[in-house]
Amino acid sequence: MAQAELRDDELVRLCLQDDREAWETLVRRYGRIVYGLAVKTGLAPDDAADVFQTVFLSAYRNLHLLDRPESLSFWLATITRREAWHARRKLARSVTISSGDAANPLDAAAAPAPLADEELERAQRTALLHRALEGMGERCRGLLEMLFFTEPAPSYEDAARSLGVPLGSIGPTRARCLAKLRKALEGLGF
């Protein structure tokens, strides 16, 4: 079974056995979510990148403490929120100290509101979507990513030119790829 097709509990088991490929899969699967959640708390991209590194280092050190491996995404989201809060506090302290302001540095870094259940659910759906896309062939993945993840979305003419395929094949290929994606998502329990 390819690493990208593993359930979270299987992936955690392999990571605990120091399987390097499993760790790479875990970071690929959840990296965008961790980084996105860090940015969503108000951190600048560089600070969010630092949080990303800290979260995965913490996961590496503490994965054995995860009681329910199937809840890996929620566990990573919790670590991300905590680390982002710490990063915001540290940044607020440095701004307060450098500006000489006597105000309480914690006021500027008040704990962010916890992510709403809808946001965590959206993060999980996004992880499943990327996981399903990873398991698809390059042609389908490339077409779907181009049509649905590129801003602004390219025209069919631009997509055909970029992919080197006839214009008339874009629509039917898109339909087949979406059907494959739907089947892959269903296989992942979505």
Side-chain angles (χ1 to χ4, degrees), residues 13 32 38 76 95 123 141-142 184:
R13 182 180 48 77
R32 290 180 185 175
L76 290 171
V95 167
R141 182 175 52 248

Side-chain angles (χ1 to χ4, degrees), residues 41-136:
T41 66
L43 291 173
D46 287 345
D47 298 318
D50 290 342
V51 166
F52 173 96
Q53 290 179 353
T54 303
V55 167
F56 284 107
L57 179 60
S58 179
Y60 178 77
R61 290 178 176 161
N62 299 298
L63 191 61
H64 65 283
L65 300 174
L66 180 59
D67 292 332
R68 295 180 39 230
E70 66 276 4
S71 65
L72 177 64
S73 62
F74 289 107
W75 185 66
L76 290 171
T78 300
I79 296 170
T80 302
R81 284 195 317 266
R82 184 189 68 227
E83 294 301 332
W85 182 76
H86 287 299
R88 289 183 61 210
R89 281 185 57 193
K90 184 177 178 183
L91 288 168
R93 266 193 224 121
S94 68
V95 167
T96 303
I97 291 169
S98 66
S99 68
D101 188 359
N104 182 351
L106 297 181
D107 290 342
L115 291 175
D117 289 341
E118 302 88 41
E119 291 182 59
L120 287 174
E121 196 172 307
R122 186 175 339 117
Q124 258 193 325
R125 285 193 312 262
T126 300
L128 281 175
L129 175 62
H130 288 293
R131 189 169 159 198
L133 284 169
E134 283 177 10
M136 299 183 79

Side-chain angles (χ1 to χ4, degrees), residues 9 16 18 22-25 35 47 50 55 57 66 74 79 113 129 133 142 153 162 164 170 181 189:
D9 60 328
L16 290 171
D18 289 328
W23 276 107
E24 290 171 1
T25 300
Y35 180 81
D47 298 318
D50 290 342
V55 167
L57 179 60
L66 180 59
F74 289 107
I79 296 170
L129 175 62
L133 284 169
S162 176
I170 296 292
L181 180 61

Side-chain angles (χ1 to χ4, degrees), residues 147-160:
L147 293 176
F148 296 105
F149 296 110
T150 304
E151 291 292 330
S155 66
Y156 274 17
E157 292 84 8
D158 291 338

